[in-house]
Amino acid sequence: MGDRAQDNRLRRRAFRPALTVPFLAALCALASGLGLAQAGRSAPPELAGEAVRSTKAAFRRPADTPFPGTNPFSPEKEALGKALFFDPRLSRSGSVSCATCHNPSLGWTDGLPRAVGFGMEILPRRTPQVRNLAWAAAFQWDGRADSLEMQARMPITAPAEMNMTMDLVIARLKAAPGYAPLFRAAFAGDDPLNAGNLLAALATYERTLVSPRAPFDRWIEGDEAAIGPDAKQGFALFIGKAGCSACHSGWRFTDDSFHDIGLAVTEDVGRGAFAPPSVTAMQHAFKTPSLRELRMQGPYMHDGQLPDLDAVLEHYARGGEKRPSLSFEMKPLELAADERRALVAFLQTLKAEPVPVALPHLP
Ligand code: HEC
Ligand code: HEC
């Protein structure tokens, strides 16, 4: 297999919606319909026409959340998974739960440049938010987990995170009288309080975490007044001249794929650790993060290396450091000050009013 072909296979091992010719035509029509693809200044006319409708459809939220046939939804499983997500018994120290790092009041992350793990060690990567993952095809910044069930074991057993063994977690939960009935309600079998079911319950709860409807969603569904003209200009740039939607595609604003966007090199080669060195494009490649509910205060990227949105847009304007693995979608780009403001105004429309999360009663 040629290097390029293999690059593509690895890149697309995770689902990536195909950019069909009609879809691209629709994008161009939308961008030029707004009169902004080239000029980036005039006030946008209202969107209309079949091409525009199909473009907007590509960003429309789905009606239902998918659950895999191997781990179907039930309210009992969700309730158990929620208790487990918030329970510090899952960590050796007894003081760290999943929600310590994925804190709902901090947008399901920790507000830190990089995560803090066992013994207050600073971890190499930033804590991602855990919403809209029911639709995701690869997990972790380097995609080393194929499912939420597989992912959930990693932080529990990682010495630098919760530093547990699955046996010890199960022994602790068996010692807490409230858990056995919750496992029996959620799962069949004689002895359902086991590691596989614990991971299945955590994954089920995580699949229920979906970002609330944002102003952008109301606009996509037809309410022209839901977002301002600056944000509409920003969206036209995003899908047009600035080329952002080549990777931040669909309603989750991610292609679930891996790219080297030319950030400063560190020891962390991301997806490259799982690809043969000959597969150039995977070196320094990280999973495209969703842009929904982007925290506006930064810092950004897998290791928090860019402090704010100005730095992010400056990075994209420069096009990233030239090296063999740099994505071919990354090219230097002229972005005027008003275009940068428009892009930020658009990103803000992907944020919804926060919905309070009731903490579970722990068994
Ligand atoms: C010490 C902080 C910390 C704790 C505790 C923690 N996480 Fe994470 N989580 C992270 C970091 C950091 C990453 C990124 C790891 C990487 O890419 O290597 C991550 C990644 C994830 C992801 C992948 C998200 C994506 O977009 O790919 C999921 C899902 C997740 N964690 C769920 C959990 C669950 C479930 C628990 C509890 C069993 C948990 N986490 C405990 C810090 C933490
Ligand atoms: C070649 C694919 C690609 C293109 C094109 C692209 N991005 Fe990204 N974007 C990524 C990847 C991959 C990351 C994460 C990189 C990392 O952490 O190493 C990212 C990170 C980001 C982040 C930081 C998110 C966070 O949570 O830290 C923002 C904001 C962002 N991109 C916005 C944009 C905008 C705006 C554009 C258009 C000007 C754009 N991106 C174009 C792939 C892309």
Side-chain angles (χ1 to χ4, degrees):
M1 196 179 332
D3 196 33
R4 193 36 143 2
Q6 203 178 359
D7 276 10
N8 280 338
R9 194 175 55 82
L10 273 161
R11 192 195 298 279
R12 283 156 205 238
R13 64 171 271 296
F15 167 74
R16 184 178 186 187
L19 283 181
T20 58
V21 172
F23 180 73
L24 287 174
L27 284 186
C28 296
L30 175 56
S32 64
L34 284 165
L36 296 162
Q38 306 304 325
R41 25 190 153 73
S42 53
E46 298 302 272
L47 299 179
E50 195 44 53
V52 167
R53 263 192 292 281
S54 66
T55 303
K56 282 178 132 188
F59 290 89
R60 186 185 277 265
R61 298 169 68 103
D64 302 310
T65 305
F67 289 84
T70 46
N71 185 16
F73 175 82
S74 76
E76 292 79 11
K77 232 189 262 179
E78 178 191 10
L80 170 61
K82 183 171 181 179
L84 292 167
F85 193 88
F86 286 87
D87 196 334
R89 288 185 190 96
L90 267 57
S91 64
R92 188 171 296 267
S93 66
S95 60
V96 176
S97 70
C98 309
T100 304
C101 297
H102 303 284
N103 182 337
S105 49
L106 296 171
W108 299 95
T109 169
D110 52 17
L112 298 169
R114 289 191 277 146
V116 172
F118 191 76
M120 301 304 281
E121 279 300 310
I122 296 183
L123 300 179
R125 293 180 182 167
R126 219 191 70 203
T127 306
Q129 55 164 310
V130 287
R131 274 180 292 208
N132 307 330
L133 292 178
W135 291 267
F139 305 87
Q140 310 284 44
W141 283 102
D142 53 22
R144 68 191 186 282
D146 285 334
S147 67
L148 283 170
E149 287 78 358
M150 181 179 172
Q151 194 285 330
R153 183 190 292 270
M154 294 177 175
I156 299 175
T157 56
E161 291 182 54
M162 300 169 103
N163 193 18
M164 276 297 254
T165 65
M166 293 312 287
D167 287 347
L168 193 50
V169 174
I170 295 304
R172 276 202 196 162
L173 297 187
K174 285 194 165 159
Y179 265 115
L182 291 181
F183 275 85
R184 276 198 303 276
F187 296 100
D190 292 338
D191 187 16
L193 206 173
N194 59 46
N197 287 342
L198 177 146
L199 301 175
L202 275 171
T204 299
Y205 174 60
E206 289 177 281
R207 289 190 178 98
T208 67
L209 306 176
V210 181
S211 50
R213 277 161 53 83
F216 176 80
D217 299 309
R218 295 200 291 280
W219 176 64
I220 284 292
E221 287 160 16
D223 176 0
E224 281 304 323
I227 68 174
D230 47 347
K232 290 177 194 173
Q233 179 194 353
F235 179 62
L237 287 163
F238 189 88
I239 62 171
K241 168 183 147 175
C244 314
S245 64
C247 306
H248 298 282
S249 55
W251 75 277
R252 290 188 303 126
F253 294 90
T254 170
D255 56 0
D256 265 328
S257 191
F258 309 91
H259 309 272
D260 174 9
I261 61 166
L263 293 167
V265 174
T266 65
E267 278 170 14
D268 190 347
V269 295
R271 186 88 194 131
F274 302 90
S278 64
V279 182
T280 345
M282 288 302 112
Q283 304 306 316
H284 312 290
F286 291 85
K287 189 171 83 162
T288 309
S290 171
L291 300 178
R292 277 190 183 264
E293 304 294 336
L294 192 66
R295 52 177 183 180
M296 287 293 156
Q297 81 281 20
Y300 299 101
M301 306 301 169
H302 67 274
D303 57 358
Q305 67 171 263
L306 297 183
D308 50 35
L309 278 179
D310 283 346
V312 171
L313 292 178
E314 181 58 21
H315 172 80
Y316 282 115
R318 287 170 188 262
E321 192 182 297
K322 287 250 167 335
R323 54 189 178 225
S325 52
L326 180 69
S327 163
F328 54 83
E329 309 281 6
M330 296 290 298
K331 298 174 202 82
L333 165 76
E334 260 178 56
L335 277 181
D338 67 323
E339 294 177 320
R340 294 179 193 214
R341 275 194 300 275
L343 279 166
V344 172
F346 156 64
L347 290 172
Q348 263 153 351
T349 69
L350 300 177
K351 290 177 83 73
E353 285 297 312
V355 176
V357 174
L359 296 182
H361 295 289
L362 295 186

